[in-house]
Amino acid sequence: SNYIMVGYDDLYSIQYFRENIRPYWNRKGDSSIQKQFALAAAEYEQLMKRCEKFDAKLMHDAAISGGKEYAELLALAYRQAIAAHKLIETPNGELAWLSKENYSNGSIGTVDVTYPSAPMFLYYNPEFAKALINFIFYYSESGKWTKPFAAHDVGTYPLANGQTYVGDMPVEECGNMLILTGAICKMEGKADYALKHWDVLTTWTDYLVENGGDPANQLCTDDFAGHWARNANLAVKAIVGVAAYADMADMAGKKDIAQKYGAIAKDMAAKWKEMAQEGDHYRLTFDTGRDTWSQKYNLVWDKMLGYNVFDPSIALDEVAYYLTKQNVYGLPLDCRRGYTKSDWIMWTATLADDHETFMKFVQPIYDFANETTDRIGLTDWYNTDSDKRVGFEARPVLGGFYIKMLEEKFSK
C-alpha cells in the first residue's frame, strides 16, 4: 500500500472586512504548502492511527446514542460539515469558522446555516462553536452593522465584507445567536462568553420580546418556502432565545435580569400555546386553521438546555401527531408540500422520549440516503415521497445530525 498527497494553496483564504486573510495553517506567513506536505508525510502513520481511533469511537458512541443507522448518518455528515467551512484567525486574534452556503446563494458566515450546523461543533469543541458566531458579534459591535437585530451573513464567499443577502431575517437571526450563545455558556458551565457581548445580546433579546412572540411577515431559515407571518415555529425560536438570555443572566449572577426575562419567556410560551393549539397538535401559523401543522424543531433547545419554558406536553403531542404525517422517506417540513429538511427531522426526532420513537423519524432519512439515485454529497432538502433531492447538496447544516449526541452530553 501507499498514498497520494493532494493539496490546495489558496494563498489568502478570505477577505475579512476588506483585509485579505491567510489560511489558518499559515496565519503568521511563516509556512508554505511544501512544508505542509512534508509535515503531513512525516506524520502519516501517526495521523492514520489517530483517524482510525476517532472513527471507531464516533461509530461506537453514535450507535449507543441512536443506533447503527444513526451512526452511519453521522459518519456521512462529519466530513461534509467540516469541508463546508473555512478557518481563519481574524485581525483581532479571534477564530472565525466561516460557512459556505453551498448550492444556494453563496453567502459566507450565514447565521441560519450556522444554527443547524452547530451541534457537531458544540459536541466536539465549543471554541469552534464560538468561531461560528464571533464575526457576527464583531459585525454589530464594530458599528459596521447598525440594525437592532442580528445580521443574516457577512458577505458572499470568499468576501466577508458585510451582508449581501437581500432582505433580513430579524427574528430568525436574533433567536439563533441567543440560543447558540446560551448553548456555548451551558457547555462551558459559565457565562464568560456571553458577558463579552452582553450589550448586543441585550439589544437582540429586547427585539425578540417586542417582535418575536407573534412574528410579522418575514423570512425564516426555511426561506425557500417564502415569506409568511405569524409563524408558530419561528415564535418558538424567539421565546427560547429570550429564555437563553435569562439563563445566561442567571449564570452571570445577574439575578434580577434573569428573573425578569425568565418570567417574560414563560409568559410568551403560555400565550404561544393558547394561540397555536388546534386540538391534538399545533398550527403552522397562529391564524391558520385546523388542518395546518409544521415541525416545531426549535423546541429541542428548550428541552435540551433545560429552560423548560414550554409546557412539556406540547412536544409530546407534536411528536405523536407527526407520526401520522410521515411519508416513505420521512416527515415533511410542514403541511404545505411533501419536501423536507433532514437536519430538522433529526431535531424533531430528538424531541421524542424513547429510542423506538426516535428511530421512527431517523430510519426514513437513512433509507433516503441509502436508496436515493442522486449520486451527490448528501442533500438536506429532498422529497419525502420520492428518492430525489429538491435542491441543496454537500452543505454544512448536516452538522445538525449530531443533536442527539449533544443532548446526551448536556444531560450528563
Side-chain angles (χ1 to χ4, degrees):
S1 65
N2 214 316
Y3 58 86
I4 296 172
M5 301 179 71
V6 180
Y8 172 68
D9 184 1
D10 52 6
L11 303 181
Y12 290 90
S13 291
I14 300 293
Q15 188 175 100
Y16 187 77
F17 294 102
R18 308 297 172 184
E19 183 172 344
N20 292 339
I21 306 295
R22 296 180 186 276
Y24 185 79
W25 59 265
N26 192 26
R27 60 195 179 281
K28 296 179 181 177
D30 57 358
S31 190
S32 67
I33 196 71
Q34 291 82 7
K35 288 181 180 178
Q36 292 298 311
F37 269 80
L39 183 63
E43 295 181 345
Y44 176 76
E45 290 186 7
Q46 177 191 359
L47 287 171
M48 291 306 294
K49 288 178 181 177
R50 288 174 61 190
C51 286
E52 289 168 6
K53 184 178 179 180
F54 176 86
D55 289 351
K57 180 171 174 52
L58 168 58
M59 298 305 287
H60 174 267
D61 292 349
I64 290 176
S65 176
K68 171 182 175 291
E69 293 83 0
Y70 179 63
E72 291 185 10
L73 285 168
L74 295 200
L76 276 178
Y78 182 83
R79 184 174 64 176
Q80 180 169 311
I82 291 177
H85 290 84
K86 176 69 75 169
L87 181 66
I88 61 168
E89 184 178 88
T90 67
N92 66 359
E94 291 185 327
L95 290 179
W97 187 226
L98 292 149
S99 63
K100 315 169 186 177
E101 196 157 341
N102 300 338
Y103 291 87
S104 179
N105 65 346
S107 286
I108 184 170
T110 306
V111 178
D112 58 286
V113 167
T114 288
Y115 177 65
S117 72
M120 191 176 96
F121 305 112
L122 280 162
Y123 180 81
Y124 284 115
N125 189 341
E127 292 304 316
F128 271 97
K130 293 176 189 176
L132 285 166
I133 56 178
N134 281 336
F135 48 88
I136 298 295
F137 281 123
Y138 170 77
Y139 194 14
S140 281
E141 292 164 349
S142 66
K144 300 177 190 298
W145 176 261
T146 59
K147 297 179 182 180
F149 48 81
H152 170 272
D153 60 80
V154 288
T156 302
Y157 194 88
L159 306 179
N161 295 324
Q163 179 172 310
T164 51
Y165 186 80
V166 178
D168 297 313
M169 297 185 186
V171 171
E172 172 72 35
E173 310 305 13
C174 286
N176 292 339
M177 288 296 293
L178 283 155
I179 292 168
L180 293 180
T181 305
I184 289 167
C185 292
K186 206 79 161 181
M187 184 64 73
E188 294 190 324
K190 57 186 179 181
D192 293 10
Y193 185 68
L195 289 171
K196 285 178 59 178
H197 306 292
W198 196 253
D199 288 347
V200 73
L201 288 171
T202 302
T203 297
W204 293 340
T205 303
D206 288 339
Y207 184 89
L208 291 181
V209 170
E210 183 70 24
N211 302 283
D214 191 353
N217 187 30
Q218 60 186 266
L219 290 171
C220 71
T221 185
D222 304 316
D223 54 353
F224 48 81
H227 290 74
W228 29 311
R230 314 197 72 189
N231 179 340
N233 185 48
L234 183 59
V236 170
K237 179 174 291 183
I239 296 164
V240 177
V242 176
Y245 179 78
D247 187 65
M248 290 183 283
D250 186 61
M251 293 174 71
K254 300 176 183 288
K255 301 301 181 182
D256 290 346
I257 294 174
Q259 186 175 12
K260 174 185 174 181
Y261 284 91
I264 290 172
K266 288 180 179 178
D267 182 60
M268 292 173 75
K271 290 178 179 176
W272 184 95
K273 182 179 180 182
E274 183 180 334
M275 292 191 294
Q277 190 162 19
E278 188 62 63
D280 58 353
H281 69 283
Y282 294 83
R283 301 172 182 175
L284 171 69
T285 68
F286 296 133
D287 56 354
T288 48
R290 182 172 181 79
D291 294 331
T292 71
W293 61 274
S294 64
Q295 290 190 45
K296 308 301 189 299
Y297 52 79
N298 290 312
L299 276 172
V300 72
W301 295 99
D302 187 49
K303 173 190 176 186
M304 189 163 64
L305 298 178
Y307 300 152
N308 300 317
V309 295
F310 282 91
D311 183 337
S313 69
I314 295 172
L316 295 176
D317 289 346
E318 285 289 276
V319 167
Y321 186 79
Y322 298 151
L323 290 174
T324 70
K325 299 297 180 181
Q326 291 213 106
N327 290 324
V328 62
Y329 290 121
L331 179 66
L333 184 64
D334 57 49
C335 59
R336 295 173 296 173
R337 298 179 183 86
Y339 61 53
T340 197
K341 291 281 270 86
S342 55
D343 46 338
W344 298 148
I345 295 179
M346 201 69 78
W347 291 28
T348 294
T350 304
L351 290 171
D353 281 342
D354 62 275
H355 177 71
E356 182 181 358
T357 305
F358 174 78
M359 281 307 301
K360 287 179 181 178
F361 292 103
V362 174
Q363 184 67 50
I365 304 174
Y366 179 85
D367 291 342
F368 176 84
N370 200 41
E371 297 171 12
T372 177
T373 54
D374 294 325
R375 310 318 299 166
I376 57 172
L378 186 60
T379 183
D380 53 290
W381 185 22
Y382 65 88
N383 291 303
T384 58
D385 52 2
S386 79
D387 62 1
K388 296 291 185 182
R389 66 165 176 160
V390 175
F392 307 143
E393 65 182 78
R395 300 208 311 152
V397 302
L398 293 194
F401 282 12
Y402 282 72
I403 193 93
K404 182 66 173 175
M405 296 267 280
L406 183 63
E407 180 202 31
E408 294 183 356
K409 195 164 190 176
F410 276 125
S411 66
K412 290 179 180 177

